[in-house]
């Protein structure tokens, strides 16, 4: 059990650090090119895993259409908007906003998958929105409200991430997670290639081997290794505790931002993060309790 929690904590640290590493990378690579290159290395890594396991599977026309949608919205647009936003957005603020994804996914599930919309989910949404307000206003009055244009793209990232969760939930009833992940990332990479040269003006690409090592390393570790480790260990621990762990990413982003970018941690950021964390926990708690009652 301790080993499982250690590995899950490692995954959260990796995912939380991704905001800071992304901020570093967009200084040397343009967002479209960075998206395309990162997806290339993710696909190569996953394809290697699939080849090792001899796990390649065919999909039917219906499944392919879902994978196509997932690849375009949940992979390409999600990745590109993330890096586009980080060009100007603060990585800690971005992490805090993306922490709202489970709530938005719950609302979309209620709308499209006919899952029950609970009072707890609505209350959790209100708490999370209050948290976002604190972070965006930065502790000042309404006159100090400043919504960085990069944060608009981070909101797009959050929305596409929530859509990705919903589509993956639908597909997972028919296809295994590894197949979904590889094929959707492959679609995302193919779609990204022409946009890498049309969306970025000017096109920027670092010639520093350190930057390339960071790009490849984060692509493989963040989206490959960490995801596989999480999926492998999540079954050994209580779902509620794992959920709390996964929601600690904003705090990891704060600490990594302080260490790598010398960005001070503000009380407002901590307060906003606590509101969002409380909102997410409140929203997801009801779903877990309902599942337990159903099983009983």
């Amino acid at each position: 059990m301790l080993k499982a929690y250690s590995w899950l904590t490692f995954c959260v640290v990796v995912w939380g650090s991704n905001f800071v590493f992304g901020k570093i990378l967009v200084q040397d690579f343009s967002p479209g090119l960075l998206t395309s290159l990162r997806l290339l290395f993710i696909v190569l890594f996953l394809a290697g895993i699939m080849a090792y396991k001899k796990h390649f599977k065919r999909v039917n026309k219906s499944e392919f259409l879902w994978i196509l949608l997932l690849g375009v919205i949940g992979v390409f647009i999600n990745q590109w908007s993330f890096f586009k936003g980080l060009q100007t957005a603060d990585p800690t603020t971005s992490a805090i906003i993306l922490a709202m994804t489970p709530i938005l996914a719950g609302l979309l599930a209620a709308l499209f998958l006919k899952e029950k919309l609970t009072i707890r989910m609505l209350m959790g949404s209100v708490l999370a929105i209050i948290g976002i307000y604190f972070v965006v206003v930065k502790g000042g009055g309404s006159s100090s409200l400043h919504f960085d244009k990069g944060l608009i793209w981070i909101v797009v990232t959050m929305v596409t991430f929530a859509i990705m969760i919903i589509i993956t939930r639908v597909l997972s009833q028919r296809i295994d997670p590894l197949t979904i992940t590889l094929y959707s990332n492959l679609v995302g990479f193919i779609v990204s290639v022409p946009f890498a040269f049309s969306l970025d003006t000017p096109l920027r690409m670092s010639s520093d081997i350190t930057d390339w090592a960071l790009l490849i390393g984060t692509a493989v570790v963040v989206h490959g290794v960490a995801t596989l480790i999480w999926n492998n260990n999540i079954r050994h621990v209580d779902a509620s505790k794992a959920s709390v762990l996964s929601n600690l990413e904003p705090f990891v982003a704060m600490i990594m931002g302080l260490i790598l970018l010398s960005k001070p941690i503000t009380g407002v950021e901590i307060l906003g993060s606590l509101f969002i964390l409380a909102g997410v926990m409140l929203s997801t708690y009801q779903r877990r309790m309902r599942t337990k009652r159903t099983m009983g």
Side-chain angles (χ1 to χ4, degrees), residues 1-11 225-239 242:
M1 186 69 72
L2 179 61
K3 183 179 179 181
Y5 277 117
S6 299
W7 280 118
L8 292 177
T9 302
F10 165 77
C11 294
V225 176
T227 302
L228 291 176
I229 290 175
W230 180 274
N231 292 339
N232 188 52
N233 286 275
I234 193 71
R235 65 181 185 271
H236 299 304
V237 303
D238 183 74

Side-chain angles (χ1 to χ4, degrees), residues 196-267:
F197 299 95
S198 60
L199 288 174
D200 298 334
T201 50
L203 190 71
R204 289 181 293 108
M205 182 171 63
S206 175
S207 58
D208 191 330
I209 190 170
T210 304
D211 293 330
W212 280 90
L214 182 62
L215 189 159
I216 297 171
T218 53
V220 172
V221 175
V222 173
H223 297 283
V225 176
T227 302
L228 291 176
I229 290 175
W230 180 274
N231 292 339
N232 188 52
N233 286 275
I234 193 71
R235 65 181 185 271
H236 299 304
V237 303
D238 183 74
S240 61
K241 293 177 182 177
S243 177
V244 173
L245 271 178
S246 66
N247 293 325
L248 295 178
E249 288 181 37
F251 298 101
V252 174
M254 286 182 197
I255 295 170
M256 294 302 293
L258 176 64
I259 295 172
L260 297 177
L261 303 177
S262 300
K263 180 190 172 297
I265 299 173
T266 66

Side-chain angles (χ1 to χ4, degrees), residues 18-57:
N18 189 45
F19 293 91
V20 177
F21 292 138
K23 183 72 173 179
I24 294 172
L25 286 169
V26 292
Q27 308 305 315
D28 300 295
F29 294 87
S30 44
L33 181 62
L34 181 55
T35 299
S36 190
L37 289 172
R38 210 175 198 200
L39 288 174
L40 170 63
F41 293 114
I42 293 170
V43 167
L44 290 175
F45 173 78
L46 292 173
I49 295 291
M50 294 276 272
Y52 175 76
K53 293 186 173 183
K54 298 180 180 178
H55 192 73
F56 291 100
K57 294 184 178 180

Side-chain angles (χ1 to χ4, degrees), residues 8-267:
L8 292 177
T9 302
F10 165 77
C11 294
V12 172
V13 171
V14 167
W15 291 331
S17 304
N18 189 45
F19 293 91
V20 177
F21 292 138
K23 183 72 173 179
I24 294 172
L25 286 169
V26 292
Q27 308 305 315
D28 300 295
F29 294 87
S30 44
L33 181 62
L34 181 55
T35 299
S36 190
L37 289 172
R38 210 175 198 200
L39 288 174
L40 170 63
F41 293 114
I42 293 170
V43 167
L44 290 175
F45 173 78
L46 292 173
I49 295 291
M50 294 276 272
Y52 175 76
K53 293 186 173 183
K54 298 180 180 178
H55 192 73
F56 291 100
K57 294 184 178 180
R58 296 174 63 90
V59 295
N60 60 38
K61 184 177 180 181
S62 173
E63 293 165 347
F64 174 75
L65 291 176
W66 278 111
I67 288 175
L68 187 64
L69 189 64
L70 179 61
V72 174
I73 298 176
V75 176
F76 167 61
I77 297 178
N78 175 266
Q79 290 277 313
W80 178 78
S81 60
F82 176 71
F83 291 119
K84 181 70 175 178
L86 284 178
Q87 281 189 306
T88 57
D90 174 68
T92 300
T93 306
S94 302
I96 293 171
I97 291 175
L98 281 176
M100 282 189 64
T101 301
I103 293 178
L104 180 58
L107 295 174
L108 291 177
L111 186 62
F112 294 104
L113 302 182
K114 308 304 179 184
E115 293 186 6
K116 187 177 179 181
L117 185 62
T118 66
I119 296 297
R120 283 183 179 273
M121 186 180 294
L122 293 175
M123 291 172 60
S125 300
V126 171
L127 280 176
I129 290 171
I130 292 173
I132 291 294
Y133 175 80
F134 274 121
V135 173
V136 173
V137 172
K138 301 292 184 185
S142 58
S143 60
S144 66
L145 179 62
H146 173 65
F147 199 83
D148 186 286
K149 64 178 182 179
L151 292 181
I152 297 175
W153 290 112
I154 297 300
V155 170
V156 172
T157 304
M158 179 188 67
V159 173
T160 53
F161 191 15
I163 293 173
M164 179 180 72
I165 291 172
I166 298 302
I167 297 177
T168 302
R169 191 177 299 178
V170 172
L171 273 174
S172 62
Q173 306 299 318
R174 316 176 193 178
I175 314 173
D176 65 279
L178 188 55
T179 300
I180 295 172
T181 307
L182 172 60
Y183 291 174
S184 61
N185 275 277
L186 180 59
V187 169
F189 167 67
I190 294 171
V191 172
S192 74
V193 172
F195 285 101
F197 299 95
S198 60
L199 288 174
D200 298 334
T201 50
L203 190 71
R204 289 181 293 108
M205 182 171 63
S206 175
S207 58
D208 191 330
I209 190 170
T210 304
D211 293 330
W212 280 90
L214 182 62
L215 189 159
I216 297 171
T218 53
V220 172
V221 175
V222 173
H223 297 283
V225 176
T227 302
L228 291 176
I229 290 175
W230 180 274
N231 292 339
N232 188 52
N233 286 275
I234 193 71
R235 65 181 185 271
H236 299 304
V237 303
D238 183 74
S240 61
K241 293 177 182 177
S243 177
V244 173
L245 271 178
S246 66
N247 293 325
L248 295 178
E249 288 181 37
F251 298 101
V252 174
M254 286 182 197
I255 295 170
M256 294 302 293
L258 176 64
I259 295 172
L260 297 177
L261 303 177
S262 300
K263 180 190 172 297
I265 299 173
T266 66

